[in-house]
C-alpha cells in the first residue's frame, strides 16, 4: 500500500507568520508531488507542483522536496486568514501520470 | 466559461438503490477521474478514464461503475453493492498523463437515508 502521511492538525498560526506543512510518502519511486488547497465544503484546487529536489517558489508559497528523506513540505509566508483551509499533499504513484495518492490533509487556521 | 460541472450537489439514496452522479467537462480534456472523500480524510481514486470507451479501476472501485461514451461526460453509478456510500464525490479532469494537474468539479454530497 503506497501511503502519504500528513499531520491532520489543526495547525494554528498568527496572521503574518510562516505556516509550515509537512508530508511524507512511502513509495521511493514517486516522481511528482502536488499541494492542493481545499476550503471547507469545496473542491480541491492545485496550488503547487514539484518534481525535483530542492525548493520551488510561487508568490507566498514555497514547496520543498527531499526525495532521499521522502518528504515534501509547503511553506506559506505572510499567512493570511484567507489561507485558512485544509492542505492536501498528493503523490503521483504511477509512471503514466494517472493515479494520485492523497494524504489526509492538514487543517490550517490563520488567526487575525 | 470552461470547467467541470457535477450534478446534483446533494443526493439522498435509500438502502438498496443505485444512483448516478453526473460529471460534464468542457475543458477538452481526455482524462477524467472520480474520487471519494470521507470526512477529515484525503481523496481516494475510484475510477479514471483516458479515452472514450475505456476506463480503469482505481483503489476503491468495488461497488461503483462508470461509463465514458463521450469525451465530455463521465458518469458514476453508486450501486447497492457499495456498503458505505455516504461521502463527498469529486470528479476531475486533466490532460492525459497530467493527473496531478487536475481541475475538480464542485462535488456531490451523497447521503444514505
Amino acid at each position: 500500500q503506497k501511503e502519504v502521511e500528513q499531520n491532520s492538525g489543526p495547525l494554528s498560526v498568527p496572521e503574518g507568520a510562516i505556516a509550515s506543512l509537512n508530508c511524507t510518502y512511502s513509495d521511493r519511486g514517486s516522481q511528482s508531488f502536488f499541494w492542493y488547497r481545499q476550503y471547507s465544503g469545496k473542491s480541491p484546487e492545485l496550488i503547487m507542483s514539484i518534481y525535483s529536489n530542492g525548493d520551488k517558489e510561487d508568490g507566498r508559497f514555497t514547496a520543498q522536496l527531499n526525495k532521499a528523506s521522502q518528504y515534501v513540505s509547503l511553506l506559506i509566508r505572510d499567512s493570511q486568514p484567507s489561507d485558512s483551509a485544509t492542505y492536501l499533499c498528493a503523490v503521483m504513484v504511477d509512471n503514466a501520470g494517472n493515479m494520485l495518492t492523497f494524504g489526509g490533509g492538514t487543517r490550517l487556521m490563520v488567526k487575525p | 466559461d470552461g470547467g467541470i460541472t457535477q450534478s446534483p450537489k446533494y443526493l439522498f439514496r435509500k438502502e438498496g438503490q443505485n444512483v448516478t452522479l453526473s460529471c460534464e467537462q468542457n475543458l477538452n480534456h481526455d482524462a477524467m477521474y472520480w474520487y471519494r472523500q470521507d470526512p477529515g480524510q484525503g481523496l481516494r481514486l475510484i475510477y479514471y478514464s483516458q479515452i472514450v470507451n475505456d476506463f480503469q479501476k482505481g483503489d476503491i472501485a468495488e461497488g461503483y461503475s462508470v461509463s465514458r461514451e463521450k469525451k465530455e461526460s463521465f458518469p458514476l453509478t453508486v450501486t447497492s453493492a457499495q456498503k458505505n456510500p455516504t461521502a463527498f464525490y469529486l470528479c476531475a479532469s486533466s490532460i492525459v498523463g497530467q493527473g496531478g494537474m487536475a481541475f475538480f468539479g464542485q462535488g456531490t454530497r451523497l447521503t444514505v437515508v
Side-chain angles (χ1 to χ4, degrees), chain A residues 3 19 21 29 33 61 66 77-78 84 94 97 103:
Chain A
E3 296 182 344
L21 305 161
F33 307 86
F61 298 99
N66 183 323
R77 290 182 300 282
D78 188 24
S84 297
D94 71 318

Side-chain angles (χ1 to χ4, degrees), chain A residues 6-83:
Chain A
Q6 295 181 255
N7 188 319
S8 62
L11 173 65
S12 183
V13 300
E15 183 175 356
I18 296 174
S20 178
L21 305 161
N22 299 313
C23 169
T24 59
Y25 59 94
S26 63
D27 184 6
R28 189 171 286 278
S30 299
Q31 297 294 321
S32 307
F33 307 86
F34 307 88
W35 284 99
Y36 283 81
R37 178 176 61 199
Q38 186 176 27
Y39 292 110
S40 181
K42 304 297 185 183
S43 59
E45 57 178 329
L46 179 68
I47 54 173
M48 290 288 285
S49 61
I50 188 165
Y51 305 99
S52 53
N53 281 330
D55 295 359
K56 178 182 178 183
E57 187 174 318
D58 183 0
R60 295 186 298 111
F61 298 99
T62 298
Q64 299 176 317
L65 174 61
N66 183 323
K67 290 185 179 180
S69 300
Q70 295 175 242
Y71 84 77
V72 192
S73 62
L74 179 71
L75 301 178
I76 306 174
R77 290 182 300 282
D78 188 24
S79 295
Q80 301 297 309
S82 58
D83 294 325

